[in-house]
Amino acid sequence: MPPPGEIALDTHHRPEAWRDRFALRLVKFMRVFADAFFAKRYGHRAVVLETVAAVPGMVGGLLQHLKAVRWIRDDRGWIKELIDEADNERMHLMTFIEIAKPSWFERGVILVGQAVFFNAYFWLYLFAPRIAHRVVGYLEEEAVVSYTQYLAAIDAGLIPNVPAPEIAKRYWNLPDDARLREVVVVIRADEAGHRDRNHFFADEIAAGRG
């Protein structure tokens, strides 16, 4: 998978309806807990949050697949794109597992967090897919902010710029001498892409095309 091209990093979708405002407030509420628990431990934050981030694409792909089969209609490429998004987030997780080396306690948080989020997101997407995609769009906006802060900490020398894991170099076709900074840059670009696509999906559903 080649490194992503230039993507706007400061894009924010302005809420236009109560569904959007609900999604944004929910994400801001979740951000409070992430900041309180992880503070500036960005690698460990990424391990846990990428576990959660890998859920929406898989859930959305599954339910879009069932909807396309149920209504015997074309999915317009949504299924593959959502599954690819989930797999991309999984690769983020596999990369940061190599970097952060999570403790057994953090692995327990991953198990609980994924179980809770999967069930909550499944029902949200089943009954309110527009809100579900908007939630992901805003989650990805926050992810871009977090990875930008991560980069700033690396550039300031607060976090060692360690060599990039082999799994990351293979997946993003990074050079052999790539380091953590290059990994964070390409992951941040991935998150910006997921942000834009999920806001697009929410807009399509609002327009009756989802």
Side-chain angles (χ1 to χ4, degrees):
M1 180 175 181
E6 292 296 322
I7 297 176
L9 299 174
D10 57 352
T11 301
H12 170 64
H13 183 279
R14 186 180 300 276
E16 298 175 353
W18 71 266
R19 295 175 180 83
D20 297 348
R21 290 190 290 273
F22 173 81
L24 180 58
R25 288 169 184 164
L26 177 61
V27 170
K28 292 295 185 182
F29 177 74
M30 294 167 64
R31 175 75 191 237
V32 169
F33 288 95
D35 288 344
F37 189 80
F38 297 106
K40 297 186 182 300
R41 298 164 62 236
Y42 295 108
H44 294 267
R45 175 200 292 258
V47 166
V48 176
L49 297 187
E50 293 292 358
T51 305
V52 171
V55 169
M58 189 60 66
V59 169
L62 167 65
L63 292 178
Q64 285 292 334
H65 168 76
L66 294 176
K67 184 176 182 179
V69 171
R70 184 168 64 249
W71 295 104
I72 315 175
R73 58 165 231 183
D74 180 62
D75 74 302
R76 299 191 299 144
W78 285 35
I79 297 169
K80 184 179 186 305
E81 184 168 350
L82 289 167
I83 297 299
D84 286 347
E85 175 187 311
D87 188 55
N88 179 250
E89 298 286 7
R90 181 183 64 84
M91 292 305 296
H92 294 177
L93 171 65
M94 299 304 293
T95 296
F96 280 109
I97 287 287
E98 296 294 322
I99 294 169
K101 308 294 185 186
S103 66
W104 285 109
F105 173 73
E106 287 165 330
R107 289 175 182 269
V109 171
I110 288 172
L111 291 173
V112 174
Q114 186 184 83
V116 172
F117 188 73
F118 175 85
N119 286 283
Y121 192 81
F122 178 90
W123 291 107
L124 178 63
Y125 199 104
L126 186 62
F127 292 108
R130 174 182 169 182
I131 295 177
H133 279 295
R134 196 69 77 194
V135 164
V136 177
Y138 287 131
L139 278 173
E140 299 294 12
E141 288 185 16
E142 296 296 333
V144 170
V145 171
S146 292
Y147 283 118
T148 299
Q149 294 170 343
Y150 198 171
L151 282 174
I154 294 171
D155 291 342
L158 301 176
I159 295 176
N161 191 21
V162 299
E166 287 299 321
I167 189 173
K169 289 189 285 189
R170 290 195 304 270
Y171 183 70
W172 285 283
N173 290 335
L174 298 175
D176 290 338
D177 61 350
R179 306 191 74 82
L180 175 60
R181 191 183 197 284
E182 286 90 337
V183 173
V184 175
V185 166
V186 293
I187 289 178
R188 182 179 64 171
D190 285 348
E191 305 292 19
H194 299 326
R195 171 202 65 197
D196 296 342
R197 292 304 293 170
N198 276 279
H199 282 316
F200 168 78
F201 290 147
D203 290 341
E204 288 291 280
I205 292 171
R209 295 189 293 268

